[in-house]
Amino acid sequence: MSLSIALAAHGGAEVLLPRNADVPLPGAGEVRLCQGAIGVNFVDIYHRQGLYPVPGLPAVPGVEGAGVIEAIGPDVVGLRVGQRVAYAGLPIGGYAEVRNIPAERLIPLPASIATATAAAAMLRGITVHMLLHRVFPVGPGVTLLVQAAAGGIGLVLTQWAKCLGARVIGTVGSEDKARIAMEHGLDHAILYKEQDFVAEVRRLTGGKGADVAYDGIGGETLLKTLDAVGLFGTVVSIGQAGGSLPDIKVADLGPRRSLALARPSVLAYAHDPASYREAAADLFDMIEDGLRITVGAEYPLTDAAEAHRALESGRTTGSILLRT
C-alpha cells in the first residue's frame, strides 16, 4: 500500500485527503518511482481549485518530484532500477509515496545534486529557463522587474538573470523577504506594501521603466505592472496568486505604452521533449555552478493541505517540499 493525497472535489485546502492504495506494476513505457521529495507549486493550487482542469476526480495533484526508480515497465530504455531521477510537468500525480510515471518525463540526476534539491528546483528552473531564453531573451544591459522576488520562482529568476548580466528589481512583502532576495543577488528591493512599485521602478530606471516584467500575482498588480515597463517592453504573466487575471484590451498595450504581453505555460514548455531536456540540463549546470535552491519549508506528505495554506498565504520564501 502506498500513501497519496487526493482531492475528491474542487475547493479549499481541506479537500486534500490521504488515501492508501496499491500501485500497479508499471505499464509499457512507464516507470514506478519511489519519491523522496515532492515540490509544491501554485499550479497544484489551481488544479485543486478547478481553475486548471484535471483528468477526473478523485485526482492526485503534483507536477514535480524526485526519487529512486523501483521498477521499469516494458519498452523502457536508458533507465535502470535504483537510479535517482527527477521530473516536472504533466501528468499530475506527484503527491504520492510511490507513483507510476511515463519514462520520458524522467531526468537522471547527477551525483552532485541532492534529491530534495532537484524536487525543489525542477519546475521553477524550467520556468525560469523558458522566461529568460524563450519568452524574452535576457542579457547584459536588460532591466527586469520581478514580482514576489523572494518566492520560489523569484529567487531562481533573480540569480539566473544576474548570471546573464541583467539588472534585477523586485517587489517583496517584508524587510525579511527583502534581505533574502538581496542575498540571492537582487539589486533593488521594493516593499510593495509601503511603496508604490511603479513609481519606484520609474525612479530606479531614470523614468524609463523596466525592459521586461514578470508577474505571478494577477489582479490589479498585473494592471499596474503595465505602467512599470518602458516603451517596447514586455510584460509576462506567469500566474494569478493574488486574484483573477484582469481583462486587458489591446488598447491597454498600445500605442501609448507600446508593450508586448506574454502568457506562457511552463507545462506546455515542459511538454516539448527538446525544450524540457535542454532546460533541465541547463538547470543542473547552473546548480553545479552555484545557483542556490532555497527550500523555505518542508512538510510531511500527510500535511499537504497545510503546505497549500502556507503557499497561498505568502508566509513562505523559496520552494516548499513534501517529504515521504
Side-chain angles (χ1 to χ4, degrees), residues 206-269:
K208 176 178 176 289
D211 297 302
V212 58
Y214 305 96
D215 175 75
I217 309 301
E220 291 298 315
T221 298
L222 178 57
L223 289 177
K224 289 185 66 177
T225 300
L226 299 178
D227 286 326
V229 175
L231 290 173
F232 304 104
T234 297
V235 175
V236 187
S237 171
I238 55 173
Q240 51 197 86
S244 300
L245 294 177
D247 292 327
I248 296 177
K249 303 178 178 64
V250 173
D252 294 331
L253 304 177
R256 179 179 65 84
R257 290 186 174 113
S258 298
L259 297 179
L261 176 65
R263 175 69 172 163
S265 165
V266 67
L267 297 182
Y269 192 64

Side-chain angles (χ1 to χ4, degrees), residues 14 25 41 52 57 99 114 134 139 152 157 163 168 221 253 292:
E14 69 278 358
L25 291 173
N41 297 278
Y52 290 0
L57 295 174
R99 69 171 298 190
R134 178 68 63 86
L157 180 55
C163 288
V168 186
T221 298
L253 304 177
R292 294 169 57 191

Side-chain angles (χ1 to χ4, degrees), residues 79-320:
L79 297 172
R80 66 180 188 278
V81 172
Q83 188 173 19
R84 291 190 316 122
V85 292
Y87 66 89
L90 299 174
I92 62 172
Y95 286 18
E97 291 177 332
V98 178
R99 69 171 298 190
N100 287 335
I101 185 170
E104 63 187 10
R105 303 310 306 160
L106 298 179
I107 307 292
L109 284 179
S112 60
I113 297 179
T115 299
T117 299
M122 281 290 288
L123 194 71
R124 291 162 181 83
I126 291 170
T127 299
V128 169
H129 188 275
M130 173 188 72
L131 296 177
L132 297 179
H133 295 283
R134 178 68 63 86
V135 176
F136 186 100
V138 168
V142 173
T143 297
L144 284 65
L145 170 63
V146 179
Q147 301 285 13
I153 288 179
L155 294 179
V156 176
L157 180 55
T158 294
Q159 294 176 82
W160 204 319
K162 290 298 295 180
C163 288
L164 296 173
R167 178 191 186 196
V168 186
I169 303 169
T171 63
V172 293
S174 68
E175 293 283 0
D176 283 344
K177 290 188 175 184
R179 175 184 54 78
I180 292 169
M182 299 286 279
E183 289 174 352
H184 285 74
L186 190 71
D187 293 299
H188 306 281
I190 300 172
L191 296 170
Y192 69 86
K193 295 178 182 179
E194 303 172 12
Q195 300 169 289
D196 180 336
F197 75 81
V198 174
E200 279 298 294
V201 170
R202 291 286 176 176
R203 182 184 68 82
L204 291 167
T205 58
K208 176 178 176 289
D211 297 302
V212 58
Y214 305 96
D215 175 75
I217 309 301
E220 291 298 315
T221 298
L222 178 57
L223 289 177
K224 289 185 66 177
T225 300
L226 299 178
D227 286 326
V229 175
L231 290 173
F232 304 104
T234 297
V235 175
V236 187
S237 171
I238 55 173
Q240 51 197 86
S244 300
L245 294 177
D247 292 327
I248 296 177
K249 303 178 178 64
V250 173
D252 294 331
L253 304 177
R256 179 179 65 84
R257 290 186 174 113
S258 298
L259 297 179
L261 176 65
R263 175 69 172 163
S265 165
V266 67
L267 297 182
Y269 192 64
H271 185 70
D272 175 70
S275 297
Y276 179 53
R277 295 193 176 276
E278 177 187 354
D282 286 355
L283 171 63
F284 292 166
D285 286 344
M286 291 290 293
I287 293 173
E288 290 177 331
D289 287 343
L291 180 74
R292 294 169 57 191
I293 302 301
T294 299
V295 177
E298 295 187 14
Y299 297 86
L301 178 58
T302 50
D303 287 347
E306 183 56 32
H308 274 221
R309 294 185 184 101
L311 183 57
E312 288 179 282
S313 70
R315 300 198 305 264
T316 61
T317 58
S319 300
I320 299 177

Side-chain angles (χ1 to χ4, degrees), residues 1-7 17-21 57-60 95 97:
M1 301 289 281
S2 171
L3 172 68
S4 63
I5 303 296
L7 50 105
L17 299 173
R19 69 177 187 180
N20 287 285
L57 295 174
V60 176
Y95 286 18
E97 291 177 332

